[in-house]
Every structure is written in C-alpha cells, then in structure tokens.
Amino acid sequence: MRLPTANRFLLAAMVALVAWPAFGFQSDLATGGDRAATLRGLLGAELAHWYPASIDADRGGFRQNFARDWTVRPDEDAFLVYQARMTWTAAAFAEFEPARRAEFLDYARHGVAFLDEVMRDEEHGGFHWILDRDGKLDAALGDEKHAYGLAFVIYAASKVRAVGGDDRALKVARDAFDWLDAHAHDPEHGGYFEAIRRDGTAITSYDPNSAIHKRADRLGVYYGFKTMNSHIHLLEAFAQLARVDDRTIVKDRLREVFLLVRDRIAVEPGALNLYMTRDWRAIPAHDSFGHDVETAYLLVEAAETLHMADDAKTWKVARGLLDHALDWGWDDQHGGFYDKGDAFATAAYDLKKVWWTEAEGLNALAVMNHKYGQETDRYARAFAKQWTFIKRRMLDPEHGGWFAETDRAGELLGDGAKANKWKANYHTARALMNVSRLLDAAEPTR
C-alpha cells in the first residue's frame, strides 16, 4: 500500500527522528523496523532523566530544579503546577508503555499523595498555589490560589484515576473541581474568575490606587480579568475529568469552556485573545504562537470527549490557529515557531524558540497532517523541518533532555538547565506520545 505524499514526508521525518544517536538508539524504519517500539524507547530515554531522580523521598512530591547535566539543585519552593504536571506525565506514560505501567503508576501515585497531603488546603479547601521548600505556607510567597493551578490538579489526578482506577485520585480531582466551581465560576458571563483568596473569595477587581505590582495575580494579570492561558488549561483539565467523572456538572462546564475557547477566545484569522474583561471583551495584546498551536490540539481533544470529533467548525478553528502560526510565526529557514508576534505583522518580534512551543508545534503539525494530509503536504513538510530543528538545537546531545530556549538560529540561551518550577516534562512527553500514536495510525498495511 502506497501512502499519500504527505504521510510519506511525515514518515521520512520520523526515520530521521528515531535514527538520531543521541537518544541511544538506531532503527531503520524503511526496512521494516518496529517503529512503535523505537518511539517508546526514545520517549523512555527522555523520561529516564526525570524518574526516579525527581522523586523527593523526604519532603514528598518531585524535585523541581535540575542543572544541564541533571545534577539536582536545591528547591526554593513547592509549586502546584510543576507537581501536578509531573504527576500527569507519569500517569500518561504508564498508560502509553504497558511494560513500565507499574513503575510509572507508582510515580504518579507518589505525586497524587503530595497533592493530597501537602498541597491541599485542609483549612479552607482547594489547593495551595505555592508553599515553601518544606511544604509550609510562607507569608513572603502569599496564600492566594489560582484557577490555573487548580486546573492542573484536576488534569493530573483525573489521569491517574483513568489509568490506575485510584479512588484517591478521583477524590483529589473532584475536590479541586468542586472547590473551583463553587468559588470561582462566573454565573453571569461564564468561565472562571482566576484569582481566589485563600478562604475561597474570588478576586473580581483590582485597586487602581495600589502599586502596579499589587494589582496583578499569580499569572501577572490584573485582578478581575480573564485569560486565554487559564481557560485553555481548564479546557484540557475538564476534558480529562469528564472521562472519569460522569456528573452532569462536569460535562456542562466542559462544554461551556470549550465554546468560550473556540468561539470567544479564538478569533479569525487564527489567533487567540490573551486577555479579556469579565464579559469577554478582548484587551489588545500580542499573539502567542505557542498557545495558538497548543490550543489547536486541545480543541480537537475536547471535541472528541464531547462526542464532536468530526465537528467542522471546531476543525476549522483549530486548523486556522495552526495555519496562522505557520503564516506569521514560523521560521521557514531554520524551522521552529517563534515566541511572539502580532496578528498581521510581517514578522514576529520575539524570535526566541521555547521548548514547550516547539513540542506543541510538533504535535499540532502531526494532528493536522493526520486530518488533512491527503489534501496538502504543508503540515508534513513543516513537521520534518520542525523535528530537524528540535533534534539539532532543542535537544542536548551531551546530557540529554530539552533545552529551555534558543535564539532564532538555535543557539542556546541561558545555562541549559533542564528543570525549574515552570519547566517540567508534560509538554514534551505529551507531544512525543501523541506523535507516536498518530504515526501508528498512518502505518501502511503490510
């Protein structure tokens, strides 16, 4: 069986991917090598740097700081988002790789225990955004909570429930959802208030007489405004929860957030409004190409959970987000997506290339090629160039793992540290798992 041209381009790119020696393996897919096993091994080699080295047996949870050579650095705090992301990745890999299921479920359960026992606010409910390095509240760090952080608790615990069937994980996911919905859902305009006081009071406005730095929440946005960033992650979290929690409220909130992301936050010709007023009026801001391509995938994923996998409008919006990023935020010379630009600028203005953007771009290109590869080879060609840039510039050939940032040409920015509280492994691991599955779906019949 001869594959369509676009899929042959994609498979050729993957031959280059799995033959790259820095991961410690070789495979000749063109002569019938086991592609699935090779990709699993590649991903396993990446995650071997993280687990079990990141397990903190003393405090609990996961270590958050690794140098370029994977030397452990002291943690300054315990950060909810990082802890949840590491938990999600462990559970997702347990599902992806049956041979290591028990091992990675143990890591995931270790993460859920930390979320439940340490990050949970036993006094007021919900989950703390940040604690000190010993897992205690610190006045210098503050005690406000945020929808963004709660989204990742829901996302991670729901995945552990889906893979391991753990009652504790379901309870953690439901507790996070129920607390967020009770305290932060906006009954008038839909969506969620984002900043929440420890006692559960939503912060719906800022004091214009206060210093500027005191007007902003945990994401650096003025209190009372809604953001794309929080709502796309609520979307992925609710989609995951809906697979393990059949309550009507969960499906209702998933649909509500899905429609807000698709029909209010995403706008033609394929960009995302970053910041909105409470009633969803857009506030001028830049175009974040990484969030564009990530949201393209998240919309498709959520539509599938809502039994709308073939919804034409959703695919149009998702494809438009990737197409616009390719039109305005793509480096056709070197490969890779830029960090920031404007909706119609002739060139992006922030030419950094960031690890999570490049991983999400690889994933989105594979998704769109799988859907539209019979019509065009645009996505397959970009995929091949994207992977070439990643393997040559984003991946560390000496120590393994992903660098955080490079310049346009791929020169390393910063010290090459492999982990900090904002740089976990969920973007990269998810991308590799999803691309592997999509390549399996494109496998020719032998």
Side-chain angles (χ1 to χ4, degrees):
M1 174 181 174
R2 185 172 176 79
L3 286 175
T5 299
N7 280 338
R8 286 189 281 111
F9 277 126
L10 192 56
L11 286 173
M14 293 306 294
V15 171
L17 182 157
V18 298
W20 191 49
F23 279 98
F25 354 177
Q26 303 284 339
S27 176
D28 183 1
L29 299 186
T31 58
D34 186 345
R35 182 182 63 197
T38 301
L39 289 176
R40 286 191 184 97
L42 185 154
L43 178 60
E46 162 70 8
L47 293 185
H49 294 296
W50 294 88
Y51 306 95
S54 63
I55 297 293
D56 190 328
D58 297 325
R59 180 195 65 187
F62 300 99
R63 297 186 177 97
Q64 299 178 173
N65 283 286
F66 288 88
R68 178 175 178 175
D69 65 358
W70 294 98
T71 300
V72 177
R73 292 173 168 173
D75 287 336
E76 297 179 354
D77 50 53
F79 184 43
L80 183 63
V81 174
Y82 180 95
Q83 297 297 326
R85 285 173 168 175
M86 293 288 288
T87 302
W88 181 90
T89 300
F93 189 68
E95 178 181 52
F96 180 81
E97 181 47 83
R100 304 185 72 181
R101 173 184 172 86
E103 174 192 356
F104 274 79
L105 262 179
D106 281 347
Y107 301 146
R109 287 165 174 154
H110 173 82
V112 167
F114 188 73
L115 296 175
D116 191 22
E117 297 169 10
V118 179
M119 300 305 298
R120 179 191 289 277
D121 184 344
E122 294 286 358
E123 183 177 354
H124 295 285
F127 294 80
H128 298 292
W129 172 263
I130 196 166
L131 300 171
D132 69 16
R133 69 180 66 192
D134 297 318
K136 307 297 182 183
L137 275 172
D138 184 336
L141 297 173
D143 62 3
E144 287 176 9
K145 297 162 185 169
H146 202 284
Y148 185 97
L150 291 161
F152 279 100
V153 175
I154 297 166
Y155 188 55
S158 297
K159 189 65 175 180
V160 178
R161 168 67 174 190
V163 178
D166 298 47
D167 289 341
R168 183 184 205 178
L170 180 60
K171 184 178 188 306
V172 168
R174 281 179 163 172
D175 287 351
F177 173 86
D178 291 346
W179 192 89
L180 175 70
D181 200 64
H183 295 283
H185 181 254
D186 183 346
E188 182 178 359
H189 298 290
Y192 288 81
F193 301 114
E194 302 197 13
I196 311 149
R197 294 187 181 90
R198 186 184 175 195
D199 66 3
T201 304
I203 306 175
T204 59
S205 63
Y206 66 93
D207 178 0
N209 297 315
S210 63
I212 290 178
H213 72 277
K214 292 184 177 180
R215 303 177 193 178
D217 68 12
R218 296 293 193 174
L219 295 186
V221 180
Y222 276 17
Y223 292 116
F225 292 90
K226 294 172 180 173
T227 69
M228 167 277 297
N229 204 4
S230 289
H231 282 80
I232 67 168
H233 291 299
L234 289 169
L235 177 64
E236 70 180 340
F238 293 176
Q240 187 69 66
L241 180 61
R243 298 186 187 111
V244 297
D245 186 344
D246 61 2
R247 292 179 296 166
T248 301
I249 187 66
V250 174
K251 290 287 177 60
D252 288 347
R253 294 294 189 251
L254 169 59
R255 181 174 293 276
E256 176 183 311
V257 173
F258 170 79
L259 293 175
L260 285 170
V261 172
R262 190 191 70 178
D263 300 342
R264 301 298 295 272
I265 295 174
V267 292
E268 292 184 355
L272 298 173
N273 290 314
L274 268 64
Y275 312 119
M276 280 76 50
T277 61
R278 176 179 175 180
D279 58 355
W280 299 100
R281 288 173 292 140
I283 298 166
H286 65 271
D287 187 5
S288 170
F289 300 116
H291 288 109
D292 292 346
V293 297
E294 181 181 15
T295 302
Y297 163 72
L298 295 180
L299 282 171
V300 170
E301 180 187 50
E304 187 174 311
T305 303
L306 289 166
H307 307 292
M308 299 168 57
D310 296 320
D311 180 67
K313 182 174 183 178
T314 300
W315 277 104
K316 180 182 178 181
V317 172
R319 186 179 188 181
L321 289 168
L322 179 58
D323 284 348
H324 185 266
L326 285 171
D327 288 342
W328 302 95
W330 169 251
D331 183 352
D332 200 48
Q333 178 182 353
H334 300 98
F337 290 93
Y338 301 128
D339 191 28
K340 299 181 183 71
D342 292 320
F344 296 112
T346 55
Y349 62 79
D350 187 340
L351 306 186
K352 287 196 308 292
K353 295 176 181 176
V354 184
W355 94 97
W356 69 266
T357 296
E358 307 316 322
E360 294 293 350
L362 191 77
N363 183 36
L365 288 165
V367 168
M368 292 304 157
N369 184 74
H370 184 71
K371 178 72 172 178
Y372 298 108
Q374 302 259 2
E375 302 174 12
T376 177
D377 64 6
R378 183 185 198 190
Y379 307 120
R381 288 181 180 276
F383 180 98
K385 191 166 289 188
Q386 177 74 349
W387 176 253
T388 298
F389 179 81
I390 288 172
K391 75 174 183 177
R392 292 179 179 174
R393 298 298 185 177
M394 299 302 300
L395 301 178
D396 185 340
E398 182 177 0
H399 300 291
W402 292 61
F403 293 129
E405 294 182 347
T406 74
D407 66 11
R408 182 192 173 199
E411 295 301 317
L412 177 64
L413 299 175
D415 65 359
K418 297 299 161 50
N420 58 53
K421 69 182 182 184
W422 281 107
K423 186 180 184 293
N425 53 26
Y426 110 102
H427 289 288
T428 53
R430 184 173 70 183
L432 292 177
M433 285 186 277
N434 287 346
V435 169
S436 175
R437 292 185 181 106
L438 288 169
L439 257 344
D440 280 343
E443 182 78 24
T445 303
R446 293 182 180 138

